[in-house]
Every structure is written in C-alpha cells, then in structure tokens.
Amino acid sequence: MRMEHFPGLRAATAAMMASSTRRRSRARSVSVTLADRNQTSVKVDDMFRRLAFRLIVAVGLTALLIMGIYSTFSTRWQSERLQAEVERHASQLSETVKRSTRYSMLLNQREHVHKIINDVGKDSTIQEVRVLNKEGTIIFSSRSEHIGQLVDKRAESCFACHAADRPLERLSLLERTRVFRVHPDSARILGVIAPIYNEPACWTADCHAHAQSQSVLGVLDITTSLADVDEQIALSERANAVFAVFAVIALSIIIGYFVRRWVGTPVNRLIAATREVGSGNLGYRIPHPGEDDFGMLARAFNTMTDKLSEARLQLFQSDKMASLGRLAAGVAHELNNPLTGVLTYSSFLLNRAKDNDELRSDLEVIVREATRSRGIVKSLLDFARQSVPKKSTENLNEIISRSVAVLQKQLEVKGVQVVQNLDAHLPAVRVDANQIQQVIVNLLVNAADAIGDGSGSVTLTTSSVSLPPQGVAHIKRAFCPKGHDLMDSEVKIDGLPSVKVGARWSGHKEAIHLDPVYGSTRHQYGADLAPGQEAEFLCPRCGVSLLEAGARCPTCAASVYVFHAPPRGLIQGCTRRGCGWQYWGAVEAEGYREYVEMTVSDTGSGISPDDLNKVFEPFYTTKEQRGTGLGLAVVWGIVDNHNGTIGIRTEVGKGTKFTIRLPIDNER
Amino acid sequence: MDKEFDVMIIDDEQVVLEAVTRVGTAHAYRVDAAGDAATALQRLDQSRYRLIICDIMMPDVDGFQILEAVQTGHPETSVIMTTGYATVEHAVRSLRGGAVGYLAKPFTEEELVSAILRGLRHPKTAGGQMVHDAPPRGDHVDGPPGDPSWYRLGWISWVRLEERGSAFVGVTGTFLGTVGAVQRIELFEETEEIVQGTSCARVISEDGLSHDVLGPISGTILEPNKGLHGEIARVQSDPYLKGWFYRVIPANLGYELQQLTAWSACSGEPLHSQ
C-alpha cells in the first residue's frame, strides 16, 4: 500500500535470513546430541536381547523346578506303591509258608519243613527263606549252608523286636519289614519277619519241644530282592528327566517365539523408530500399530513425534517472528538515537546556514537522507507490528458498508456501480476491522481498475457457510521429515504458493507442484510422469523419501506420500498421477467449520492465466505506474493472519470473483 | 530550590543529551541533562524544572515510572515523552499517563523546538496545577439529540462519536493554546487514512513552527473540514463544534477507544479561562 513498506519488507527479509542461518547452526548442534542417542538405542537393543534371554531362562528354570518337584514326588509315590506291593506279597508268602509248615512242625517232621522252605526259596524273586529259633540259630533255610548259624540279635533282622534286649510279641507289618543291602553295590533287599507264636498244639504235641511259657517260638524270615522295583523306579526317573528336558526346551522355544513376536518385533520397531527420530527424522511414524499394549505404545509414540515435530517447527516459526520483532525493536532503538544526533544537528545547522547557499544545499542533503532513514526504520517497525491483528467482534456487513462509503465518490466518478447483497443475519466475527477494511478497499480499487473507463459493476455478497475441510483448508506450511520447507512461492496454483516435491521413478526425476488447497487436485506435473503412473516422492532439498512405509492409497492401492503441515499434523496423499486421494487428519477431525463468506465480483477485464499465479506476489502489478503491486499481497497477508482463505475465479473479458472466507470461531 | 531550569532532558544516550542541550541553549532555554533516572529524580528535588523531556526505554528505570513520579511529586512540571522505539502504544500510553506531548526519535530541530515551546506554554494555575479546557455541554451540541460521546488523546486531540457510525476528529483548545497564533492548518485529503497516535494534521503557527497533531483514532477520512482553510479563526474560537478537522470512518474503534480517555462535558475548565 504505502511506499514506506518497501524498505520494511527488505529489512524483514534480511532479518529472516539471519534468523534462518542461526537456526541452521542450532540444528547442527542438535544433531550432535542425537548421535549420542543413537548409541543409546544400540544399548537398548542389547538390553532387549538380554531381557528376552532372561525371560526364557526364568521361565525354563521355573518349569524345571516344577517338573523336578512333580517327578520327585511322583517317583517316590510310585516306588512306595511298588515296595508296599512287594511287602504285602512277602508278608503273604511268609503267612503261607508258616501255615504250610505248621503241620510238619507239629509232627516234628523236619525233612518236610526243609522241603517246603527249599521249594518256596526257589522262586527267583525270593532271596532266602529261613526260620530262626528263639536263640537266633537258623534251623531252616532255603540256603542249606546257613543252617545252624547263629544270628546276632542286634543284626538288622532282629533289631526291630529286640531293640531293648527283650522280646516283643506283636508287631505291625511295617515294623516287621526292613530294607537293606548286602554290600553297597548290590540290589536292595526287602526282608519280612513273621514271628511264630506258641500255641496249645505246640506244647501238647508229642515232641513236647516247647514249653507253655514261651510266647514266641522263633521267626520266619523271608527276604526278597527289590532289584525289579529299583529298576522300574530308575526307568521312571530317567523317563521323567528326559521328559523334563524336552518340556523345558519346547517351552523355551515356544516362549522365545512369542516373546519375539509379541515383544521383540514391536520393541525392535520402537527402537528403529527411536533411531529414526534420533537422527532428526521427526516425521517417522511406526507403521501399522496393532491393537495391543505395544500398539498403543506405538500410537502414543507416533503422536509424540507428531507433536514434537510440530512443536519444533512452530518453535522455528515463532522464533523467526520473535527474532524479527526483537530485531526491529533493537534496530529502531539503536539506530534512532544516533539518527537523532544526525537529524537534530543537521537541521540545527541548516537553520543557521540560511545565508550560505553552498553549505545549505549540502546540509539539505544530510537532513533529507536522515529523514529518509527515519522513514525506513519506521516502516521496519510497522512491518514487525503488522503481523498481529488487533481483533474485536465485528459485523462484516458494517465493515463492507464503511469501506464502500470510503470509495463511493471515486467509484461514482468512474461509472462503477456497487451492488451489495449482504446477508442480514450474518454472524459476528472476531477480526481486526481496520485490516479487513483494507482488504475490501483494496479489492474494490482493483475491481474499479479492472473495469477501467467503461461502465461496469462490482457485486459484494456476504453469507454464512458451513464447509468441510476438503477444498477449503489451505496448506500454508509444509515440511519434509527433516524440516525442509516444501512451500514454493515461485510456482503458484490459483495464486497460492504450491507444495514442491521431487518425484523419482525408474531412472526419471522431476518436480511436482502440489495444489495447496487440501483435497483439490490442480497439481502441476513435469513433462515425463504419465497419468496413472506412480512415483517415489522426495524432499527436493535433502532427497529424503516422503513415502509412508507400508501405507497404501485406499482408492487405488498406490504408495502414499506424507509430509508435515504444522501446526496441524500430517498430510497424506496418493503418489499416483491422476488419483486425487489426500488425507489431513487434523482438519478432518475438526469436521465442518462455520465461515462468513464474502465475495467481490466485478465485470472487468479478468486476469489472464499467466498473471493469475502471480497476483498475490508482492510488487507484482499490471497497472504500471498507478499501483504499488502490494495491494493483493497485503490482502493475502491479512486474510492469512485471520486464518481465512482466499480464492479467485476469473475469465478474461468477463470479470473476476474473489471469495474470502473467515472462520467464525477464530480464536487461534 | 536554588536554581530554575526550563528543560531537563533525561536520556541514556549521550548524543541525544548533547543535541537537546545544544538546540535548547541556542534557543535561549536553560537546559539541564540527566543520563539516568536516579540522577534525574535527584535533580528534581534540588532544582525547579518547567519541562522534562524523558526517554521511555532506559536501562535502569522505565520512562513511564519517571512520568508517574513527576506527576505525583512535581505536578507543576510538564513532561514530554520520547523514544526511539516509537510505537502507537508508547505514544498513547504516554499521553494517557499525563504527558503533555510525545516526540518520536529521531526528531529535527524544528520538531524539538515546537515540542518544547508547547510544553512550556501548557497552561497552569499559579499553584502549578494544569489547566485544561473541555468540550461544551450536551445541550449546546447542534447534532442529533442525546449527549455525544467525547474521548480525548492526552490534551492534544479529541474524537466525537456519531450515532450513524462516523466520528468527528479535532484538536483540543489546550493544544491550540500552546501553539499560539495559528497561521494555517495542513490537513489530509479525503479517503486518506489517519492512525491513532501518529500525526494526522499539522498546525503552522505564526512564528513559522509546525506542530504535529496526533490522531485520536485510526480511520479513513470521509471529509476534511474544508471551511477551515478560509477561516482559521473558526478553529481557535470553537475547536469542538465548528472547528473539527475530519469526519472519519473509524477503522478499529472497539480496540482504540480503550486507549483513550472518556471526556465528559463538565470535566476541566472552559476554554476562555486561560
């Protein structure tokens, strides 16, 4: 608008460049600390392997312990069962021997007794069958060489009864049983002692061998080998051990498999993601997070990196703006003081050099240039302040009426008729009325200029609209995962800076300019990429791939590109030329938004397609000497500061229509 | 109170102190200079000063604090605020805080001298109290019925809101009084914009000095008062009704009115008291 803005803009550009240099050096120092983090993630990897190993060892040991206890008890129980069976069998046998020899004993037919005992003793499992008298002398034995030997009562076969050197009479089967080994290497032997009690038949018998006073006449001792039992137990123990080893191995393999699948893979993915993020790729996302706990963790991680990258970019942005503001204030303050000296003294001298023409003209140059410097500094300050609209609740219709009133006479003189179709129920919006008026005045002046000398009309309309984000939301900022700006103001689509990406496919390479209106498909392709063909999208500056790993376009299954659009998350889209699929989660989540819409349409000369891409550029003008070329750039800046959108529809020779939409809930 | 000065300049920049001292002395003013706030406040107790020109952004004490201290401790001394970081906010805050003038750095000799002159001429009672005029009471206003809303920017300019949405802008009798005899008035053209706190018109006095009038609000000029060109006396005799400068369409009224002082018709003294 005003000419003073020129130096202001130039100075601002210099300030931004200075700030971006500083940012670059900061980014370098950041990457140094990130390298350390890379090493940390290697340690994390080792740690995980140790964790999986420990888990397997712990589970294996637990299984081993449980199986050990189980098989110990099981073996013992089994051996007890087997032994009891042997005992019962031996005890039964001794009863049988006692009964079958009773009659022969009563008759004192010793040969008979020998015979029976020898026959019984022939059984392979029976070690020895013997009968001992009260004094401990073996009187019968299946092993004839033992007959006549005296057994020490303190020996184990007698000890149960003769523990205290006095005979006991009644003993349970358990007490009468003993297990022993002849030598340490031999098989175990089980002995059962059956006492032979005195009975009337004994002392009334013909032989009168025993006195009535005796209660126990002797003992029948049968010893059987436990070799079979022991062998079975050993077999069972071996089987148990083999089973336990196999079970533990199988368990470890199964556990290992599931740990790898449920823990290892997700953790490795997280580690890979941490590494990516650590190396500065804040756009990295963990693909396909599942529904389990790790999936939730991965989602949380993705959200975190999203927020992180947004925060980083916002920081850069606000840093840039803040440093511009600080710079402006600093420059103004520091420069204005010396300028005060120059201007005051030079004007002072000028007023005192009225008689000296030569000195006077020199001093006039100093005063003029110092005054010009004052203007430059002032416009720098104005520019720094311009970015913050002073908003209050306003009725757009009133602002329009005021703006039209401002230009009424000028327009009448030119023969331009103004038609206002304003919505009487238009909701109020929070705007900087001054700036919006500037927008309307600029558009009206443009319309009048487009109409030219012939008569025509300008129509202003207002309405409230509710719009989905598709085709409305404007991609104002786009960054590659490494933070490079993708916005390209060299190539504009419908007057707005486009999103520039590189495309690579089978050896070819070209640049693609994406439409900056979300969901809109007026992309500009290079010469080579044929419609329907897919390409890998890259950052044109650093070459990092913009492809989202594993993601597929839901409409045509082509690969999907993704970039950052701070402060509102990620934008995904299809890489196949001709497929218009795009997804911007953050704005989709906001759903339909309420806008007040204002259109300014004229019946003027229209804008040629070549010019259309440049109309919002500063210093671009078709009016030659009449305009400054800042009008529409200012319009764009103001609408942008109000989070609004601006669109142009134009036809050469018929006219132009500007559509401006301002969000009603405009608090951001 | 052994000494009396016309002007004290308070600034942390040596070149500004020297320049103001040089210009002031050349115009036969007694000028004192203080390089920091502490020195300035100390000197205020030792000597008498008619006018203080005070920098806003200084390393130790904010210029507004000095303004406040002078307002309460030395009401007989007028204050003009100056700053190298010349923003609308600084201008408006200075004038609302009681400063009689606001001078953006860098300034020319002429701007400085006219500011000093106006500051020294600011009307006061014998006891040092500032004297101000006020707009006429509601029943004198030849406009739509009802009391119009008057607001002022310091003692420099005023705005009167009209019911139809536009507003009249003019200069106060106090300001005109400090300017002295008016030779001519330079106004902006129709459709040009004025901005709150920045120069919206220039009053040229008979002595050849030009005096910038800081606009009370921002807006687009609907019509300048063309009658003023022929009849300068109209401004001085009736600065509030016939002597208005512009009729404007306010640009950001809601925000800007908060920066102004509401001015009821009965506050202050009538114009002819000086």
Side-chain angles (χ1 to χ4, degrees):
Chain A
M1 302 263 321
R2 288 198 192 124
M3 290 299 283
E4 296 100 75
H5 279 142
F6 287 46
L9 282 173
R10 232 180 290 138
T13 321
M16 286 200 207
M17 274 160 64
S19 130
S20 80
T21 319
R22 222 184 46 188
R23 174 174 56 156
R24 241 175 274 134
S25 67
R26 190 183 302 174
R28 218 176 297 133
S29 73
V30 165
S31 71
V32 172
T33 55
L34 290 177
D36 302 341
R37 215 182 295 166
N38 254 354
Q39 290 175 350
T40 322
S41 69
V42 173
K43 280 183 205 150
V44 169
D45 203 11
D46 288 349
M47 216 167 68
F48 163 68
R49 288 210 185 99
R50 281 211 297 275
L51 173 79
F53 177 73
R54 279 186 203 165
L55 205 60
I56 291 168
V57 168
V59 170
L61 284 179
T62 312
L64 207 60
L65 184 72
I66 290 168
M67 267 180 290
I69 291 169
Y70 169 76
S71 58
T72 308
F73 279 102
S74 153
T75 313
R76 187 176 294 174
W77 180 77
Q78 217 178 345
S79 102
E80 274 170 9
R81 281 271 317 267
L82 283 170
Q83 203 170 311
E85 190 57 28
V86 173
E87 273 168 25
R88 202 184 55 78
H89 179 72
S91 145
Q92 219 167 17
L93 191 66
S94 58
E95 267 325 291
T96 312
V97 171
K98 248 162 78 180
R99 280 183 201 174
S100 54
T101 54
R102 182 175 174 270
Y103 191 64
S104 305
M105 292 238 195
L106 283 177
L107 296 179
N108 206 14
Q109 292 173 339
R110 287 173 176 256
E111 279 308 307
H112 247 140
V113 177
H114 270 298
K115 194 97 180 101
I116 291 166
I117 283 173
N118 275 342
D119 286 350
V120 172
K122 274 177 189 153
D123 193 300
S124 62
T125 60
I126 292 168
Q127 193 87 8
E128 189 178 1
V129 180
R130 55 184 184 174
V131 175
L132 294 92
N133 67 7
K134 190 132 171 42
E135 285 72 39
T137 313
I138 297 170
I139 34 179
F140 300 106
S141 173
S142 54
R143 295 194 180 171
S144 50
E145 68 269 21
H146 290 166
I147 295 172
Q149 283 178 359
L150 189 70
V151 174
D152 179 9
K153 272 186 196 166
R154 281 181 192 82
E156 53 188 314
S157 52
C158 314
F159 190 73
C161 304
H162 300 282
D165 281 333
R166 79 193 150 81
L168 290 171
E169 288 162 21
R170 297 270 182 239
L171 281 172
S172 68
L173 177 61
L174 204 62
E175 286 169 304
R176 287 186 281 120
T177 309
R178 66 190 193 284
V179 176
F180 63 95
R181 289 175 198 276
V182 179
H183 5 240
D185 295 337
S186 64
R188 291 191 305 152
I189 289 164
L190 178 112
V192 175
I193 290 168
I196 302 163
Y197 299 105
N198 205 356
E199 56 183 291
C202 293
W203 66 78
T204 55
D206 295 339
C207 56
H208 296 285
H210 303 287
Q212 194 181 348
S213 57
Q214 280 181 301
S215 61
V216 177
L217 303 179
V219 287
L220 175 70
D221 180 28
I222 295 182
T223 53
T224 46
S225 166
L226 285 176
D228 271 4
V229 173
D230 284 350
E231 200 179 326
Q232 272 192 49
I233 288 167
L235 209 65
S236 148
E237 272 172 354
R238 264 202 304 280
N240 273 344
V242 169
F243 170 73
V245 168
F246 274 108
V248 167
I249 289 169
L251 203 61
S252 298
I253 289 168
I254 290 166
I255 297 239
Y257 171 75
F258 283 108
V259 163
R260 178 147 290 280
R261 188 177 163 167
W262 289 336
V263 183
T265 311
V267 167
N268 277 334
R269 267 198 217 165
L270 273 170
I271 288 165
T274 328
R275 266 186 208 152
E276 281 284 338
V277 172
S279 69
N281 180 4
L282 285 186
Y284 187 83
R285 286 172 67 88
I286 298 169
H288 314 299
E291 297 300 324
D292 58 359
D293 289 354
F294 276 105
M296 280 159 72
L297 182 61
R299 260 177 248 272
F301 183 89
N302 285 344
T303 318
M304 184 194 73
T305 52
D306 279 0
K307 298 271 178 209
L308 206 60
S309 61
E310 275 175 22
R312 181 173 74 165
L313 291 166
Q314 257 177 344
L315 194 68
F316 285 161
Q317 202 64 27
S318 60
D319 193 35
K320 211 156 62 180
M321 288 318 289
S323 61
L324 176 61
R326 274 199 302 276
L327 189 78
V331 165
H333 192 215
E334 293 307 319
L335 213 54
N336 275 342
N337 280 324
L339 267 180
T340 307
V342 175
L343 196 56
T344 316
Y345 278 111
S346 57
S347 57
F348 178 72
L349 285 175
L350 182 63
N351 287 335
R352 264 144 202 81
K354 284 183 175 132
D355 303 330
N356 188 337
D357 277 352
E358 199 185 336
L359 193 61
R360 193 183 151 77
S361 67
D362 289 349
L363 282 167
E364 269 171 355
V365 173
I366 300 178
V367 171
R368 191 185 68 215
E369 292 308 303
T371 312
R372 197 161 76 93
S373 308
R374 165 164 88 172
I376 292 169
V377 174
K378 185 180 180 302
S379 58
L380 176 60
L381 274 176
D382 287 346
F383 182 83
R385 274 196 300 273
Q386 199 185 22
S387 55
V388 187
K390 293 167 188 166
K391 289 179 190 167
S392 54
T393 305
E394 304 281 347
N395 185 331
L396 190 61
N397 290 346
E398 282 174 15
I399 303 176
I400 289 176
S401 302
R402 284 208 301 260
S403 313
V404 171
V406 167
L407 292 173
Q408 191 77 50
K409 271 196 191 145
Q410 239 178 301
L411 295 171
E412 271 171 23
V413 170
K414 283 193 162 190
V416 176
Q417 199 195 342
V418 179
V419 182
Q420 296 184 45
N421 289 329
L422 307 182
D423 179 357
H425 305 290
L426 197 69
V429 274
R430 275 188 68 79
V431 291
D432 183 321
N434 193 15
Q435 292 190 349
I436 297 299
Q437 181 170 330
Q438 218 173 330
V439 166
I440 299 163
V441 167
N442 283 355
L443 291 179
L444 284 175
V445 168
N446 264 334
D449 288 340
I451 290 166
D453 296 330
S455 61
S457 67
V458 184
T459 310
L460 289 140
T461 69
T462 55
S463 54
S464 59
V465 289
S466 179
L467 295 168
Q470 295 257 355
V472 176
H474 176 194
I475 304 167
K476 292 174 186 167
R477 284 193 278 277
F479 293 91
C480 88
K482 297 206 168 168
H484 292 120
D485 195 350
L486 300 176
M487 296 310 294
D488 182 9
S489 35
E490 298 284 311
V491 177
K492 301 200 173 184
I493 295 173
D494 208 6
L496 305 174
S498 61
V499 181
K500 184 183 181 183
V501 296
R504 185 168 60 190
W505 73 100
S506 53
H508 293 269
K509 219 173 172 183
E510 69 177 32
I512 297 176
H513 294 273
L514 299 173
D515 194 328
V517 175
Y518 168 54
S520 189
T521 55
R522 294 160 298 177
H523 311 305
Q524 287 182 9
Y525 292 90
D528 292 339
L529 189 67
Q533 198 170 353
E534 255 181 78
E536 185 187 5
F537 280 28
L538 316 160
C539 170
R541 286 226 246 146
C542 65
V544 69
S545 176
L546 299 178
L547 291 193
E548 190 176 1
R552 290 279 144 195
C553 169
T555 45
C556 70
S559 51
V560 165
Y561 65 82
V562 64
F563 59 81
H564 285 263
R568 298 206 274 172
L570 299 164
I571 297 177
Q572 296 167 291
C574 182
T575 59
R576 195 170 65 84
R577 181 171 178 179
C579 175
W581 181 78
Q582 250 185 346
Y583 184 75
W584 191 355
V587 300
E588 288 288 349
E590 286 169 16
Y592 276 63
R593 277 188 92 181
E594 303 291 325
Y595 297 83
V596 291
E597 186 181 271
M598 171 178 73
T599 67
V600 179
S601 41
D602 62 62
T603 58
S605 54
I607 303 167
S608 76
D610 284 347
D611 292 338
L612 189 62
N613 284 337
K614 302 175 198 156
V615 290
F616 291 122
E617 272 175 35
F619 312 119
Y620 179 78
T621 179
T622 54
K623 301 179 190 169
E624 279 147 29
Q625 294 307 310
R626 284 181 295 145
T628 61
L630 276 174
L632 286 179
V634 167
V635 164
W636 190 83
I638 291 172
V639 173
D640 187 49
N641 276 339
H642 284 80
N643 301 316
T645 62
I646 183 161
I648 317 176
R649 287 285 168 273
T650 183
E651 202 174 327
V652 175
K654 288 204 170 168
T656 307
K657 180 179 181 178
F658 285 90
T659 304
I660 289 171
R661 294 185 180 123
L662 301 171
I664 288 176
D665 51 339
N666 192 4
E667 287 305 323
R668 277 177 297 140
Chain B
M1 296 281 174
D2 47 344
K3 270 190 114 180
E4 184 173 318
F5 287 95
D6 294 308
V7 180
M8 172 156 65
I9 169 74
I10 308 171
D11 203 306
D12 58 315
E13 277 282 330
Q14 193 58 33
V15 68
V16 178
L17 296 180
E18 282 167 10
V20 172
T21 309
R22 181 85 179 85
V23 170
T25 315
H27 285 264
Y29 293 119
R30 294 160 294 173
V31 184
D32 195 7
D36 58 78
T39 314
L41 293 172
Q42 201 186 338
R43 300 256 182 93
L44 269 172
D45 292 332
Q46 290 163 354
S47 309
R48 194 203 301 270
Y49 295 90
R50 293 174 66 199
L51 174 71
I52 288 171
I53 302 176
C54 181
D55 188 30
I56 291 177
M57 290 169 92
M58 286 192 291
D60 50 350
V61 175
D62 190 278
F64 292 113
Q65 285 172 261
I66 298 177
L67 173 62
E68 211 183 305
V70 174
Q71 289 274 302
T72 51
H74 307 273
E76 73 287 352
T77 305
S78 306
V79 180
I80 292 173
M81 301 302 282
T82 182
T83 179
Y85 187 44
T87 64
V88 170
E89 288 75 16
H90 276 156
V92 170
R93 196 176 155 195
S94 300
L95 295 171
R96 202 173 47 191
V100 298
Y102 173 78
L103 189 59
K105 282 192 221 167
F107 37 76
T108 62
E109 184 205 9
E110 199 187 14
E111 285 164 349
L112 175 62
V113 168
S114 71
I116 292 176
L117 199 67
R118 285 199 310 275
L120 291 176
R121 282 185 188 162
H122 202 92
K124 304 224 174 70
T125 62
Q129 293 295 310
M130 289 208 191
V131 180
H132 305 109
D133 64 330
R137 290 172 182 277
D139 52 336
H140 294 293
V141 176
D142 53 351
D147 197 22
S149 313
W150 296 85
Y151 293 86
R152 60 177 174 86
L153 175 69
W155 297 106
I156 294 174
S157 57
W158 55 261
V159 58
R160 192 179 92 215
L161 304 179
E162 288 190 303
E163 284 194 344
R164 51 186 158 162
S166 60
F168 284 104
V169 168
V171 69
T172 64
T174 306
F175 184 84
L176 285 174
T178 59
V179 165
V182 176
Q183 187 194 62
R184 74 194 142 88
I185 295 170
E186 293 176 359
L187 295 181
F188 283 172
E189 295 290 310
E190 186 183 323
T191 74
E192 281 191 296
E193 286 179 10
I194 61 170
V195 178
Q196 186 182 49
T198 62
S199 177
C200 75
R202 196 167 282 165
V203 178
I204 317 293
S205 51
E206 298 248 296
D207 52 15
L209 288 175
S210 75
H211 306 268
D212 282 319
V213 178
L214 303 185
I217 55 165
S218 308
T220 312
I221 297 168
L222 270 184
E223 55 171 322
N225 190 352
K226 292 204 175 73
L228 288 184
H229 292 305
E231 243 185 299
I232 298 295
R234 189 188 276 186
V235 182
Q236 282 184 305
S237 63
D238 187 6
Y240 297 104
L241 298 172
K242 292 207 177 86
W244 54 271
F245 279 14
Y246 305 112
R247 196 154 77 83
V248 299
I249 296 172
N252 206 354
L253 199 61
Y255 177 81
E256 287 181 351
L257 280 188
Q258 296 165 15
Q259 317 300 319
L260 299 178
T261 312
W263 204 10
S264 74
C266 25
S267 73
E269 298 293 318
L271 176 68
H272 43 75
S273 75
Q274 56 158 319

